[in-house]
Amino acid sequence: MKKELWSPSNDMLFEVLPKLSTKDLLKLKCVSKEWQCLISDRSFIQVQLKNMEPPSGFFYQGRYQWCDEDYDWISYMPISGSVATEEVHNDVLDFLPENVVILDSRYGLVCCRSIFPCNVPLIYICNPVNKEWKAIQWPNSSRESSIALVFEPLKKPINEFTKFQVVIVSHQDETSTEGDRYGYFSFNIYSSETGLWRRSGEICYCNHNMLKKGCICVKGIIYWLTDGDQILMFDPENEISWLISIPLPRNQFNLKPEMCLGEVEGRLHYVLICEHGLQLWVLEDRFTSQWDLTYTISLEELENENNKYLFKIAEKLASNFNTDDIPWIGTLAFKDNILLMRVSVNIYLYHFETRKMRHLCSLSALAPKPFFVATVVPYTMSLVPLGQS
């Protein structure tokens, strides 16, 4: 009879161990073979995932704006709660068989793809903690497609919780019989359970393109910002797409706004920096585009409370209005009330709960060639097993 390594009946294990961070559990795996087997047990990992650890850090990869090639340098900026470590690591994904472009992350799993140009592009799902990975064939590959990882381990049975989906959304332009041009999004879905791709019958008519700011997956539903006043939503389980209006249309601002999407406690959030200040909105109803403003701070207050890092914000935001210059302030990523932002050539964390900024690193520390335009992905460590391809 197989010995059960972990059971909720064991008070110490049930009450204490699953509450520890992944970083602490990794140290405990070295105590003995028994501890290693216990902490690697799938049922234990699934319970530990319920604790919803804060972000461990952020991946940052520069992106060419006017070139069809990819930049292969990926940096990882670790953080620990509200404390920035001011370290940058460039070798976190070196266990993969080739250089990659980072795309998405969910519950410790990271989604990447091959660097373009490439003869046989692949999509990789990996876990940097245990250095396990799976390679997925990518039919009809395109650098312009957006790729999202759907991984919801808390919804699956224990013996299935490492199963995942990959969703690719593509934008096409067509001409009607009357000669009018129109655009739409189409969706392809990969299931790790079947190992197959299939094209969804759902399409979403939209003449806007996706902004290359990544995507956010909230409770299995994926959201992408577009270059219009709408957010593209896709529910792969029910194969439903929708266009959600952003809280405030862009044309109402005098200065060019900066925005990004993020998640807090299973709810979609929208971060906005504009002449009105820094705002945080939460989506209450996606089908009616109902947003609630949960946080706002004026530029003057933001500067006064963080005058070590900010000076004459409004003036500098206005300096590149109606120009093609890179914005002086950029919203990079948002997760669990932590905003990763760029101010000039420095990267900062802003904590909405404390209203304080913390310097993380300089832009030049992230790559030999600094990039203002980048893909930024929040990452949380986990022990989720995959098994090598």
Side-chain angles (χ1 to χ4, degrees):
M1 182 176 179
K2 185 179 177 181
K3 181 181 178 182
E4 188 171 5
L5 291 172
W6 178 84
S7 170
S9 62
N10 187 314
D11 290 340
M12 184 194 75
L13 295 180
F14 183 70
E15 295 294 336
V16 179
L17 285 185
K19 296 180 181 179
L20 297 179
S21 69
T22 300
K23 199 170 186 178
D24 290 335
L25 290 171
L26 285 172
K27 297 175 183 177
L28 290 176
K29 288 180 73 173
C30 301
V31 171
S32 66
K33 287 185 178 179
E34 181 180 4
W35 279 97
Q36 182 180 13
C37 292
L38 183 148
I39 294 170
S40 301
D41 186 72
R42 287 173 175 258
S43 57
F44 174 85
I45 293 172
Q46 189 170 29
V47 171
Q48 194 254 344
L49 285 174
K50 295 179 181 179
N51 293 318
M52 301 294 290
E53 289 186 45
S56 309
F58 295 85
F59 285 100
Y60 185 102
Q61 185 173 25
R63 190 173 69 245
Y64 294 113
Q65 285 185 280
W66 317 115
C67 176
D68 289 335
E69 295 187 0
D70 293 312
Y71 189 64
D72 62 2
W73 193 279
I74 299 176
S75 297
Y76 175 67
M77 298 170 282
I79 60 174
S80 178
S82 61
V83 179
T85 62
E86 298 191 3
E87 298 177 13
V88 175
H89 302 288
N90 303 312
D91 58 354
V92 175
L93 298 179
D94 282 359
F95 62 93
L96 293 174
E98 62 174 319
N99 292 332
V100 294
V101 169
I102 194 160
L103 303 167
D104 197 7
S105 180
R106 187 77 174 153
Y107 285 100
L109 297 188
V110 176
C111 181
C112 319
R113 66 163 173 82
S114 302
I115 293 283
F116 279 85
C118 180
N119 292 329
V120 184
L122 297 172
I123 294 173
Y124 294 94
I125 307 298
C126 66
N127 186 337
V129 169
N130 53 31
K131 294 181 168 50
E132 296 178 349
W133 55 272
K134 289 183 178 292
I136 301 170
Q137 297 294 326
W138 183 8
N140 304 315
S141 57
S142 170
R143 185 175 180 269
E144 298 305 313
S145 299
S146 179
I147 302 175
L149 172 65
V150 180
F151 176 54
E152 297 296 322
L154 305 185
K155 291 183 178 180
K156 302 291 183 180
I158 289 173
N159 62 344
E160 295 182 355
F161 84 105
T162 50
K163 293 181 180 179
F164 58 86
Q165 291 177 308
V166 176
V167 175
I168 297 180
V169 56
S170 304
H171 189 264
Q172 282 93 30
D173 289 310
E174 299 285 351
T175 303
S176 67
T177 54
E178 292 80 17
D180 297 325
R181 300 283 296 179
Y182 64 94
Y184 63 91
F185 291 106
S186 61
F187 308 90
N188 286 276
I189 304 171
Y190 172 86
S191 168
S192 65
E193 188 170 3
T194 63
L196 299 173
W197 289 94
R198 62 183 177 81
R199 178 159 182 148
S200 171
E202 177 74 356
I203 61 173
C204 184
Y205 291 99
C206 180
N207 290 322
H208 300 297
N209 294 309
M210 284 177 296
L211 287 179
K212 293 187 177 180
K213 278 200 167 187
C215 63
I216 298 296
C217 185
V218 180
K219 294 184 176 179
I221 299 174
I222 317 166
Y223 302 86
W224 295 267
L225 276 172
T226 72
D227 57 10
D229 288 338
Q230 294 173 314
I231 297 167
L232 172 65
M233 180 211 83
F234 181 64
D235 178 353
E237 181 176 355
N238 299 299
E239 297 193 38
I240 298 173
S241 63
W242 199 262
L243 291 173
I244 302 167
S245 297
I246 60 177
L248 300 172
R250 288 181 172 91
N251 61 11
Q252 80 163 48
F253 301 110
N254 294 319
L255 304 181
K256 186 177 180 181
E258 271 286 304
M259 71 289 293
C260 69
L261 299 177
E263 177 194 8
V264 180
E265 297 178 351
R267 304 177 76 188
L268 182 73
H269 285 67
Y270 179 89
V271 181
L272 175 66
I273 296 180
C274 60
E275 65 252 37
H276 306 309
L278 173 61
Q279 298 181 351
L280 183 62
W281 299 77
V282 61
L283 182 64
E284 295 292 348
D285 187 338
R286 61 180 178 268
F287 293 110
T288 62
S289 299
Q290 178 187 343
W291 296 86
D292 283 348
L293 180 62
T294 61
Y295 180 97
T296 182
I297 181 172
S298 69
L299 295 179
E300 182 180 8
E301 288 179 291
L302 183 64
E303 183 175 318
N304 290 338
E305 294 180 7
N306 298 277
N307 54 25
K308 181 179 178 181
Y309 307 119
L310 301 177
F311 180 67
K312 294 185 178 180
I313 307 176
E315 180 180 321
K316 291 176 179 177
L317 285 175
S319 65
N320 58 4
F321 178 61
N322 282 335
T323 73
D324 293 329
D325 294 341
I326 299 297
W328 187 68
I329 291 182
T331 55
L332 302 179
F334 175 75
K335 174 70 174 174
D336 294 340
N337 285 313
I338 298 175
L339 172 65
L340 188 74
M341 59 191 300
R342 176 188 54 77
V343 180
S344 185
V345 294
N346 288 288
I347 305 296
Y348 298 93
L349 297 176
Y350 181 81
H351 296 266
F352 280 85
E353 293 174 346
T354 63
R355 298 164 64 104
K356 295 297 182 182
M357 292 175 63
R358 182 182 294 271
H359 182 261
L360 194 55
C361 66
S362 65
L363 200 61
S364 60
L366 294 174
K369 181 179 179 180
F371 279 81
F372 286 94
V373 178
T375 298
V376 182
V377 175
Y379 169 72
T380 300
M381 296 174 65
S382 83
L383 298 167
V384 173
L386 269 174
Q388 187 163 332
S389 175

